[in-house]
Amino acid sequence: GAGVSQSPSNKVTEKGKDVELRCDPISGHTALYWYRQSLGQGLEFLIYFQGNSAPDKSGLPSDRFSAERTGGSVSTLTIQRTQQEDSAVYLCASSLKGTGGGSPLHFGNGTRLTVT
Amino acid sequence: DAKTTQPPSMDCAEGRAANLPCNHSTISGNEYVYWYRQIHSQGPQYIIHGLKNNETNEMASLIITEDRKSSTLILPHATLRDTAVYYCIVISAGGTSYGKLTFGQGTILTVHP
């Protein structure tokens, strides 16, 4: 079946502009995650959605970052007033269940954001 | 979640088995061992996971020692397309850690002709 889909695959924006990144998780997956990966670095957790529960926003680096998940499916990550340090690959993942123990995460190929 | 230690890099000849080790000496009883890999310009790809028993799927085998303090990912017949960074991570079955995967530096596996 279809995997996690992210769009756009690449986004170049000017400093100070707002951007929206989209994630379509695997159908039926109740949990959705956003990570970012800077060049040559590991994954940095941003936010986690599980069903109808309040999202875990503990990884969001500043109040310029926000995310929503509509209807328990598609998610949008919004970055306001982008800065050059926001340049990274933003990865979305979904899993069948929320607990990490027996439910692997499946990642999309990410959106490469470049802030000029 | 328990910390993991992996060698920074390994080489393997095409067609041979690639054995990637991982130490997780502080693992607790309810923590799973997961393996992911990341090929350049792609998102991480799930490979396999296990709790206590050895596991095998179409991609790889996972051998977990009896004391669970270390494990080995085995790619039985490595191909050039298996060149990637391989991450071993440990995550608990419940609690609040769920999807907050912490990827270390992993092992860069290079498969050569």
Side-chain angles (χ1 to χ4, degrees):
Chain A
V4 176
S5 177
Q6 293 187 245
S7 60
S9 55
N10 283 284
K11 176 70 176 180
V12 180
T13 190
E14 293 180 352
K15 178 181 174 181
K17 299 286 188 182
D18 297 351
V19 294
E20 285 190 353
L21 312 179
R22 176 187 169 103
C23 173
D24 284 89
I26 293 173
S27 178
H29 280 195
T30 63
L32 186 146
Y33 317 77
W34 283 97
Y35 287 80
R36 74 175 175 182
Q37 188 171 31
S38 300
L39 186 63
Q41 301 300 309
L43 267 68
E44 176 187 4
F45 168 80
L46 297 177
I47 189 170
Y48 160 73
F49 295 89
Q50 171 54 42
N52 295 322
S53 302
D56 179 346
K57 306 178 182 179
S58 60
L60 295 178
S62 78
D63 59 8
R64 296 186 295 106
F65 288 71
S66 64
E68 63 179 20
R69 188 179 185 191
T70 55
S73 181
V74 172
S75 177
T76 302
L77 177 69
T78 301
I79 309 173
Q80 296 178 311
R81 305 181 302 281
T82 53
Q83 304 295 312
Q84 288 185 330
E85 60 263 28
D86 298 335
S87 296
V89 176
Y90 288 81
L91 291 159
C92 176
S94 70
S95 65
L96 187 60
K97 298 182 295 184
T99 55
S103 189
L105 271 65
H106 298 271
F107 286 83
N109 282 329
T111 293
R112 182 176 298 277
L113 175 65
T114 304
V115 182
T116 61
Chain B
D1 293 327
K3 180 180 177 180
T4 62
T5 304
Q6 300 176 252
S9 63
M10 293 184 65
D11 288 339
C12 178
E14 188 177 19
R16 303 296 294 270
N19 298 290
L20 291 88
C22 179
N23 286 324
H24 30 78
S25 58
T26 60
I27 194 170
S28 62
N30 70 341
E31 290 181 316
Y32 285 79
V33 179
Y34 272 79
W35 284 83
Y36 287 80
R37 72 180 182 184
Q38 190 168 24
I39 297 170
H40 182 61
S41 298
Q42 296 182 19
Q45 178 189 25
Y46 164 76
I47 302 173
I48 198 167
H49 74 284
L51 184 62
K52 297 180 180 179
N53 299 321
N54 298 337
E55 302 288 343
T56 296
N57 63 20
E58 65 278 6
M59 290 184 67
S61 294
L62 174 61
I63 307 299
I64 303 174
T65 58
E66 190 170 345
D67 64 7
R68 303 186 68 241
K69 293 185 177 182
S70 66
S71 61
T72 302
L73 178 74
I74 301 173
L75 307 178
H77 306 286
T79 70
L80 299 179
R81 289 178 297 178
D82 291 323
T83 293
V85 182
Y86 286 77
Y87 298 99
C88 167
I89 61 173
V90 171
I91 188 162
S92 68
T96 59
S97 60
Y98 32 75
K100 291 183 183 179
L101 304 184
T102 301
F103 284 56
Q105 294 304 307
T107 296
I108 300 172
L109 175 68
T110 303
V111 180
H112 51 85

